[in-house]
Every structure is written in C-alpha cells, then in structure tokens.
Amino acid sequence: MSALPGTLPGKRILLGIGAGIAAYKSAHLARLLKQAGFEVRVVMTEGAQAFIAPLTLQALTGEAVRTSLLDPEAEAGMGHIELARWADRILIAPATADLMARLAHGHADDLLTTLCLASHAEKFMAPAMNQAMWSHPATARNAHRLAEDGWQLLGPDSGDQACGDVGPGRMLEPEDIMAGLSGAVERPAEGLKVVITAGPTREALDPVRYLSNHSSGKMGYALATAAAALGAEVHLISGPVALATPHGVTRHDVESADDMLAAAERLAYDCDLFIGCAAVADYRAEAPAEHKLKKRDDEDAMTLRLVKNPDIIARIAARDDRPFVIGFAAETRDLERYGRDKLTRKQLDMVVANDVSQAGLGFGADDNAAVLLWKDGNAIDRDAQPPQPKSRLAEAVLKRALSRLNTTHHA
Ligand code: C5P
C-alpha cells in the first residue's frame, strides 16, 4: 500500500490502549507522539473505553478512534489489514496482563490483537498492572515469549499503584515511554541540507511543443518525504509532475534541463547530500522556434537538430565543495554493470540501479526494487533491495547514505 496523503514514512504509529487505569495517561502520550511528528491512529480495547473516552483521543489525534473489528462503517474506510500495513510502529500503552497473555498466544479476538498479528510494524508495549499480577509466573512467561516474538517492553516502573499496593507494575510515565521509543523519534538527518532533483524535464521545440519523458517523479518525491521525516532541510528541484509538495519540503519548480542545472548549482552550495533522481532529457532543440512551427504541405519530413543537455549530477560531483552524491541508473538489462560504470564515470558516491523492464516496478509505479552500489575505498559494495513501496526504498537509500556520510568526509 502506498502512503496516505500527508503521512511521513517511518512516522506512522498505531497507539493501542488496553483496559487499565493508566489509560488516562495515554491521552498525554498521544499528544507527545503528535508533538514528535508522528501521525497517530488510536485503537482501544472494549475495556479501555471504561477508563477513557474515545472522543478524547479523537480530539487529540484528529483521527477517528477504532474500537471494533466488526464495525462495517470503519472497515469500509481503512480496513483492519490496511491499518496493519499502514503502521510503521505499534505501541500498546497500557498493556494489561490479559492483553499480554492474548498477544503471547497469538489470539486475534478483537481489533487490537488482530492488528498486532497482521502487522510487520516494529512493536512496543508499556505493561501496566498490579504488582502481584506482574510478578506472577504466568505474566513472566508471557513477557518472555513476547520479547522472543520481537516485542520491545518499555517498563514497567516500580512504585505506588492506583490499587494502593507498592511494587513493580506501574506504567512508565509518557515522557519515559517516548524516551524508550527514542530510535523511532530520532531525527538522524537533523542539520543536513539535502537537494533532490525529480521528475522529467521539458525541452521546448517551440512555444507550444516540447520533448519530454514519462517520469512520474514518485521516487524523487518519496526521497524528499523520507529525508524531511528524518529531520533534513530538503530542497526538491522538480520538473513538471502531478504530485503534491511533501510536508516540510521546499520545492523549486523547473522545466528544462538548463533550469534544473541552474537551480541545482545554486542550491548545492552548503549542501550535504545531492540526489539526482530526475529523468533529465539527454538532448534539447538547438534553437527552439520563437513562433509555433507550421506544418508544411510541400514537406513530408521535418528535421530537428538536437544538442546535448548538461549532465547535472556530474557537474555537482565535479565541484570542489561537492556534497555526497547519489545517482539513479534506470536500466533494462545488465543492471549492475551499467550501475558500476555510472558510479565511476560520473564520480558518484552511490548509485541506485533499478530494472525498469519489470512490470509494476519503476517508472510511474508505486513500487520499486533496486541494487544500491557504493564506493568503499577501491571496492564497490552492494545491497540488493527487494520490490517494495517507493517510500520504503527511499528510507533504505537514505539510511545507507547517512551511514556512509558519517564515515566519509565530504565537507
Ligand atoms: O546517464 P544517465 O541519464 O543514465 O544517468 C542517470 C543519472 O544521472 C540520474 O541520477 C540522473 O538524474 C542524472 N542525470 C543528470 N543530468 C543529465 C542526465 C542524467 O543529472 N543530463
């Protein structure tokens, strides 16, 4: 599934609320998640609604709260499987002893447990229960099994309990839960300036006609969205496409390769990472006509003289103050060979090589697969990325680039 409009990849969190008195703190937690830049969707168990009203969470998140698996109206909107795929992370707070038991045994008897079973998202839970329940061997077994299944348990804390007992079992304070989520809240690209070219270019033949290509711009826009979500200052130099400007991104609209080059050279100053994702037209008309070219009755053929466009990415890579430069290689055969050649010939730091001959991938599609190639000393390293939504591939490319940026110097 592709991202919903306006959502940031890596920043979609499903907050599950169980039936514990600590549920009143989940409202504050939802607020903190929103403040940290997450898009939050809330699912409450039936019992949770006895402790806190869904309307409270709806008001705080701006999204309808889901409470039932068998609600035809809600399922007609975003079905539960769609919701399970949407989430990058699931956080259950509070996670009661019963909820832990059901999850440890793979139950799917309500919406929240079903979503947990259906989702590949990273999973966190903040247990909350009476100290005797937490200390019971059955709960200890369940906690152990959940950790084995990949759940990250945040807490519980020890201290005064709502029931009057003192001991381990208190839910962590929302601020501490946020700290526990730190990997998810981190903005590793904070302070970096990223410039991305995207979409096609248009090369005028006359005032009404042009040469162009079918590039949709989706991959470049996915990269811009992901870079902004990671905290970077993002400039997106875009050819004409039918896409909305991603949240938090500065967009610079251009038409021709020459315009794109001018914008790139201007913005490359002080830039840490440059990604050439645009499908730049290789040639342009040598002399675009000033007035509309007329069809001539006495000639069946027409000759256009084309000249080569500048290679934008190679120009950026040739600068003394060059940033880390990532290029794309869209190929229909010998993917890696052409990718490696581009890496060396254009002096790039990384190439994202994708096979555009595969149906449903690459050009215009929502999904993509690619081989990432980068220089490691004199060797070239590789990482094959399977078919996946462009938003996920964009995250993988950026994470790889950020780790390279930390180990190489491009100041
Ligand atoms: O040479 P080729 O067009 O296959 O190289 C693709 C890579 O080079 C992409 O990263 C593309 O954005 C970039 N490019 C460019 N300027 C051009 C042609 C390609 O920046 N004139």
Side-chain angles (χ1 to χ4, degrees):
M1 195 196 80
S2 57
L4 295 175
T7 61
L8 300 176
K11 286 271 179 177
R12 297 180 284 253
I13 197 160
L14 197 143
L15 174 61
I17 304 181
I21 179 59
Y24 80 93
K25 294 187 181 174
S26 305
H28 183 44
L29 181 59
R31 235 180 119 75
L32 294 179
L33 287 165
K34 290 283 286 182
Q35 281 168 1
F38 283 97
E39 182 171 346
V40 186
R41 294 197 177 225
V42 175
V43 172
M44 297 174 75
T45 63
E46 198 183 334
Q49 298 164 65
F51 291 95
I52 184 168
L55 194 60
T56 305
L57 277 307
Q58 180 177 315
L60 289 169
T61 61
E63 297 286 344
V65 171
R66 295 284 301 266
T67 54
S68 166
L69 184 57
L70 306 173
D71 178 349
E73 207 174 298
E75 282 292 303
M78 194 195 260
H80 65 278
I81 296 295
E82 217 180 326
L83 192 54
R85 289 194 191 129
W86 168 87
D88 296 306
R89 291 181 181 83
I90 294 178
L91 165 64
I92 301 186
T96 59
D98 177 62
L99 198 44
M100 287 179 68
R102 287 190 289 135
L103 288 166
H105 290 86
H107 287 212
D109 49 4
D110 66 2
L111 179 60
L112 185 54
T113 49
T114 303
L115 286 169
C116 290
L117 211 53
S119 175
H120 293 299
E122 200 179 358
K123 299 188 181 83
F124 301 84
M125 66 167 67
M129 65 199 73
N130 162 270
Q131 53 85 24
M133 292 168 84
W134 174 253
S135 305
H136 195 284
T139 306
R141 267 197 311 275
N142 291 334
H144 184 70
R145 182 174 286 190
L146 288 164
E148 275 181 351
D149 287 350
W151 282 89
Q152 298 178 53
L153 270 62
L154 309 173
D157 208 352
S158 196
D160 290 342
Q161 301 211 298
C163 54
D165 281 5
V166 179
R170 276 169 62 94
M171 188 171 87
L172 284 188
E173 292 303 324
E175 284 78 4
D176 297 326
I177 294 176
M178 292 301 289
L181 278 175
S182 63
V185 179
E186 241 172 49
R187 288 161 67 82
E190 191 116 57
L192 295 185
K193 178 176 170 185
V194 178
V195 177
I196 301 170
T197 67
T201 63
R202 271 183 195 171
E203 311 299 332
L205 298 177
D206 68 15
V208 297
R209 302 184 182 92
Y210 55 81
L211 286 173
S212 192
N213 58 63
H214 287 297
S215 170
S216 65
K218 284 181 182 169
M219 190 66 223
Y221 275 59
L223 283 160
T225 307
L230 293 172
E233 172 193 334
V234 184
H235 295 270
L236 179 60
I237 307 174
S238 177
V241 295
L243 297 172
T245 308
H247 178 67
V249 167
T250 308
R251 174 167 163 178
H252 308 261
D253 285 319
V254 296
E255 293 242 331
S256 68
D258 268 345
D259 296 345
M260 193 172 267
L261 175 66
E265 295 212 299
R266 181 168 49 83
L267 290 164
Y269 175 72
D270 255 4
C271 156
D272 301 284
L273 173 60
F274 182 91
I275 309 180
C277 196
V280 183
D282 288 330
Y283 293 91
R284 66 173 184 275
E286 183 177 43
E290 197 183 329
H291 297 287
K292 187 180 170 193
L293 293 165
K294 303 304 284 180
K295 185 165 54 183
R296 292 183 52 166
D297 290 339
D298 57 337
E299 281 181 7
D300 285 339
M302 175 184 198
T303 304
L304 278 175
R305 195 173 151 73
L306 303 178
V307 292
K308 239 194 194 139
N309 264 331
D311 193 313
I312 299 166
I313 205 165
R315 292 270 193 103
I316 300 297
R319 287 168 72 115
D320 289 339
D321 62 346
R322 63 170 286 165
F324 189 91
V325 183
I326 306 180
F328 273 70
E331 308 291 347
T332 54
R333 64 194 168 109
D334 291 335
L335 191 64
E336 263 196 72
R337 187 159 65 82
Y338 287 124
R340 283 164 186 265
D341 168 66
K342 222 155 273 186
L343 192 68
T344 317
R345 194 165 36 84
K346 298 198 186 200
Q347 303 273 336
L348 308 179
D349 295 296
M350 190 186 289
V351 161
V352 182
N354 58 316
D355 182 347
V356 286
S357 67
Q358 294 187 56
L361 297 178
F363 250 34
D366 289 327
D367 287 3
N368 212 352
V371 181
L372 315 189
L373 301 163
W374 65 93
K375 284 188 206 146
D376 193 2
N378 289 330
I380 292 181
D381 243 332
R382 75 191 288 283
D383 169 21
Q385 290 284 328
Q388 57 196 299
K390 285 181 174 171
S391 56
R392 300 248 181 225
L393 181 62
E395 283 179 57
V397 169
L398 285 168
K399 285 194 176 141
R400 174 75 58 194
L402 290 179
S403 74
R404 296 303 302 156
L405 256 169
N406 288 335
T407 52
T408 44
H409 180 65
H410 283 272

